[in-house]
Amino acid sequence: MLYWCLIFSPQFSCIFSRCDPGWDGASCEQCVRMLGCIHGTCHQPWQCICQSGWAGKFCDKDVHICEHQPPCQNGAECIYDRDGEYSCLCLEEFHGKDCELKTGPYDCLMQPCANGATCLDGMNRFSCQCQAGFEGRFCTINIDDCANQPCRNGAKCYDRINDFDCLCPEGFVGKTCDSRTSDHFSGDKYIYMQSYIEILRQNLF
């Protein structure tokens, strides 16, 4: 028998376990399996001896997976390797662990997505995750940031990538031309702003 003492200051108490570590049962005749062992047994403590039809460290891999639950898709052939592992022999137009991805002129291998988009390869198709400011199947369309008419007071809107510029009419300033120049500028600063607006007009028209 093993005794374990627990100290609780200023007192302590002892408890005992009838079995040595790794053994259990009424007469301590049952070995304790490895933690995580699923379809296995043991002869000695902490073993995981797989039952028939199972493999792997924890006896959790079906050696007949190609027969019971074929994982291969799209007409691929399932080949059992060993230790519960398998591989799929894909048809020419498919690839992936289970041959679930289509290989062709329009998959991610051909880098179809534009403007820095991320290509997501899926089941028999792909999709593009666009960067901010772009849309469309291939992310080739620049979203019109002027569509909602953000510029105020008759200002002209110029679309950019995920942004816009407003060419304010005389007397207005701000990102959307929503502030009067008299609220922000006076004297030389006002004259400078008017000159800047005039330069923009000359360059854009």
Side-chain angles (χ1 to χ4, degrees):
M1 294 184 182
L2 296 178
Y3 288 85
W4 305 90
C5 291
L6 304 177
I7 300 175
F8 299 98
S9 180
Q11 298 178 342
F12 71 92
S13 61
C14 292
I15 59 176
F16 70 91
S17 172
R18 295 179 300 101
C19 302
D20 291 336
W23 295 95
D24 199 1
S27 302
C28 300
E29 77 286 1
Q30 298 176 1
C31 58
V32 178
R33 297 182 302 169
M34 175 192 297
L35 184 65
C37 184
I38 299 178
H39 300 285
T41 59
C42 63
H43 299 315
Q44 296 294 326
W46 322 126
Q47 290 180 331
C48 188
I49 302 172
C50 296
Q51 300 171 3
S52 177
W54 296 95
K57 180 178 180 180
F58 301 106
C59 301
D60 57 342
K61 298 183 182 297
D62 186 358
V63 300
H64 301 295
I65 187 171
C66 290
E67 302 171 14
H68 296 163
Q69 295 179 326
C72 303
Q73 303 177 28
N74 297 305
E77 180 183 356
C78 182
I79 301 174
Y80 176 74
D81 296 332
R82 58 182 177 179
D83 296 330
E85 299 297 333
Y86 69 91
S87 60
C88 295
L89 185 60
C90 304
L91 297 179
E92 184 176 357
E93 63 267 31
F94 296 96
H95 67 282
K97 168 66 176 175
D98 297 327
C99 303
E100 74 279 13
L101 305 176
K102 183 175 177 59
T103 301
Y106 298 110
D107 71 352
C108 289
L109 296 177
M110 301 300 293
Q111 300 180 345
C113 303
N115 296 307
T118 301
C119 185
L120 304 176
D121 212 343
M123 182 66 177
N124 297 335
R125 59 171 300 167
F126 72 92
S127 60
C128 295
Q129 185 175 356
C130 302
Q131 294 278 4
F134 292 96
E135 63 181 358
R137 184 182 180 190
F138 302 101
C139 302
T140 55
I141 301 174
N142 179 17
I143 297 175
D144 186 2
D145 297 290
C146 291
N148 293 328
Q149 300 179 344
C151 301
R152 309 286 296 278
N153 297 305
K156 187 173 181 60
C157 184
Y158 291 91
D159 181 43
R160 298 175 60 191
I161 297 177
N162 198 36
D163 198 4
F164 64 89
D165 288 324
C166 294
L167 181 60
C168 302
E170 185 174 342
F172 294 93
V173 294
K175 174 67 176 177
T176 58
C177 304
D178 57 345
S179 301
R180 291 185 177 275
T181 53
S182 58
D183 296 335
H184 299 275
F185 301 95
S186 61
D188 294 339
K189 291 183 179 180
Y190 176 80
I191 295 174
Y192 173 79
M193 178 56 65
Q194 294 302 311
S195 299
Y196 177 71
I197 293 174
E198 184 61 30
I199 292 173
L200 285 177
R201 282 201 181 97
Q202 293 176 2
N203 290 334
L204 294 175
F205 295 99

